[in-house]
Amino acid sequence: MNLGFTRILDAVLGRGESAITVPALDGAFRPNRKLDEAPQRIAIDHPSAIIAGPDGLLVASADEIRRLDTGGAWSLVHKAEAAVSCLGEMGGGIAVGLENGAVSIVGGRFDGARFDPEPEARCPVAIAGAEDKLYVCHGSASNGPSEWQRDLMERNASGSVWLLEPASGKRRRIADRLAFPAGIAADRETLIVSESWRHRVIRLDRSTGTLRDVPLGDLPGYPGRIARDGGQGYLLSVFAPRSQLVEFILREPAYKRQMLAEVEPRYWVAPTYRAGQSFYEPLQGGGVKHLGILKPWAPTLSFGMVVRMDENCLPLESFQSRADGATHGIVGALWHDNGLYAASRGNGVVVRLEPAPGRRAVRP
């Protein structure tokens, strides 16, 4: 059947790409409050990325990279020229993606290496180092890292994955037409990539960038950063939930155009790192407080979720913060020093969870 006719038929019947259904939280995604119940919570302003660096746990906050010291204090490691959008490990140093589109390396064997933005490589949102190479996800060709809500509302699929070689200064694009790739991990001959606007995790050939398979699809939220689980598996951060209201808005082009043109971004009907902070925000009936209490199952535009996956990217368990929780907008998670650390952009906090009984201690 012709693809165009199929889309018209789907639009009439409300199926396929026109369906506004959202998968239920079930199985490994069964609702819980594990992120909110973390025994340790360390405040930090606007965290945007978290990695385990050569000298400890590092978190990006605005244009600074800070290290978590003993006792929960933060110390400044590096001050960048612009807001930091993502971090990665590289050659004993730190690969830093910036809001202005540049990628630079601080410390280690490639200290001082820098890649300036190009027209189609100006939105670094995830970095993975492997051997002497960097794999960088650029989420969009038309919007910057902080404009991810606009990119979703425009239903773009202009993201790409680039291979950078700091030793020679060369770079090349190995995959394109991706719907906001926001997480990446190198695994032998493949790259594990989260494609946010298609709600899935895909596997690309590491040398050619061709799509090999889709190990995890139809997620209940928008997947972001991917990190090693300390063993064979991975940790996937889901930075915002899907909702039927947003899925409906995405299929109403006239409404979207007017909203983007006339309404401030913080009041859009769109997923966000933290909802419920203003009266002017859009609200569904189920999200109204009763007796001053917001129900945990209320429809929401923000939540917190980290998914632990096995080596085949199949979900094993999840760590969540529900609609009434206080750990929303997870922008990165990793195992470090025998604990699971997750950075919450929505609530400005890094939480530390203890490993479950029976789980072996892990170190990066």
Side-chain angles (χ1 to χ4, degrees):
M1 186 180 294
N2 180 275
L3 180 60
F5 179 74
T6 300
R7 285 179 171 168
I8 293 172
L9 193 60
D10 286 348
V12 172
L13 299 176
R15 69 184 189 187
E17 292 183 359
S18 297
I20 63 168
T21 53
V22 174
L25 296 176
D26 201 357
F29 303 112
R30 188 176 179 183
N32 61 74
R33 296 177 177 274
K34 293 179 182 177
L35 290 176
D36 292 326
E37 294 169 350
Q40 190 173 3
R41 300 175 66 86
I42 309 123
I44 184 169
D45 291 334
H46 302 98
S48 57
I50 182 171
I51 63 167
D55 300 320
L57 192 75
L58 303 176
V59 176
S61 172
D63 60 351
E64 297 180 347
I65 300 173
R66 301 182 190 179
R67 183 181 60 238
L68 180 62
D69 295 330
T70 304
W74 297 102
S75 58
L76 180 64
V77 173
H78 175 73
K79 190 171 181 62
E81 65 188 46
V84 177
S85 58
C86 56
L87 296 175
E89 303 168 52
M90 183 61 195
I94 311 165
V96 184
L98 300 174
E99 177 69 28
N100 63 15
V103 175
S104 60
I105 298 177
V106 178
R109 291 185 288 116
F110 301 107
D111 184 33
R114 177 185 171 89
F115 294 85
D116 289 320
E118 289 190 349
E120 295 185 347
R122 61 186 190 89
C123 181
V125 290
I127 297 177
E131 293 93 37
D132 287 343
K133 300 174 182 176
L134 274 180
Y135 296 91
V136 180
C137 289
H138 287 275
S140 171
S142 56
N143 295 303
S146 63
E147 298 173 304
W148 60 270
Q149 290 171 301
R150 177 177 292 279
D151 201 70
L152 171 62
M153 288 293 115
E154 293 174 347
R155 301 192 75 177
N156 290 331
S158 59
S160 53
V161 177
W162 291 68
L163 169 62
L164 311 183
E165 299 180 15
S168 64
K170 295 180 179 177
R171 64 178 158 188
R172 65 183 175 90
R173 183 172 54 193
I174 59 174
D176 60 2
R177 299 181 183 180
L178 300 176
F180 208 83
I184 187 168
D187 177 37
R188 294 189 292 273
E189 297 178 351
T190 62
L191 296 171
I192 311 296
V193 176
S194 62
E195 202 176 4
S196 298
W197 306 158
R198 293 189 175 122
H199 331 110
R200 65 182 187 174
V201 175
I202 60 176
R203 199 155 20 210
L204 304 177
D205 187 280
R206 193 164 151 181
S207 57
T208 64
T210 54
L211 178 66
R212 286 199 173 186
D213 62 353
V214 183
L216 183 60
D218 201 19
L219 285 162
Y222 299 97
R225 306 272 163 64
I226 302 173
R228 287 282 186 182
D229 186 22
Q232 296 297 316
Y234 303 92
L235 289 173
L236 173 67
S237 302
V238 183
F239 59 85
R242 295 170 65 188
S243 75
Q244 286 185 311
L245 177 60
V246 173
E247 296 292 327
F248 176 72
I249 296 298
L250 288 172
R251 289 154 180 78
E252 295 294 325
Y255 181 94
K256 277 192 309 178
R257 282 195 298 273
Q258 189 170 359
M259 180 178 75
L260 298 183
E262 300 178 6
V263 180
E264 290 184 43
R266 57 181 168 166
Y267 302 134
W268 288 350
V269 183
T272 178
Y273 289 130
R274 179 73 247 187
Q277 296 184 316
S278 168
F279 294 69
Y280 299 107
E281 291 180 13
L283 183 68
Q284 289 183 262
V288 176
K289 291 183 180 179
H290 294 281
L291 301 177
I293 300 173
L294 176 67
K295 300 296 185 290
W297 56 83
T300 179
L301 296 176
S302 71
F303 76 169
M305 179 182 284
V306 177
V307 182
R308 187 166 71 86
M309 307 187 295
D310 67 9
E311 65 274 20
N312 296 313
C313 297
L314 299 179
L316 300 174
E317 64 175 326
S318 62
F319 309 84
Q320 300 179 25
S321 174
R322 303 183 71 186
D324 61 338
T327 320
H328 287 199
I330 301 298
V331 292
L334 54 82
W335 286 100
H336 174 72
D337 194 21
N338 299 333
L340 171 62
Y341 288 84
S344 161
R345 176 66 177 265
N347 289 91
V349 67
V350 172
V351 299
R352 182 184 191 278
L353 288 79
E354 301 295 330
R359 179 189 171 88
R360 65 183 177 81
V362 292
R363 291 184 180 278

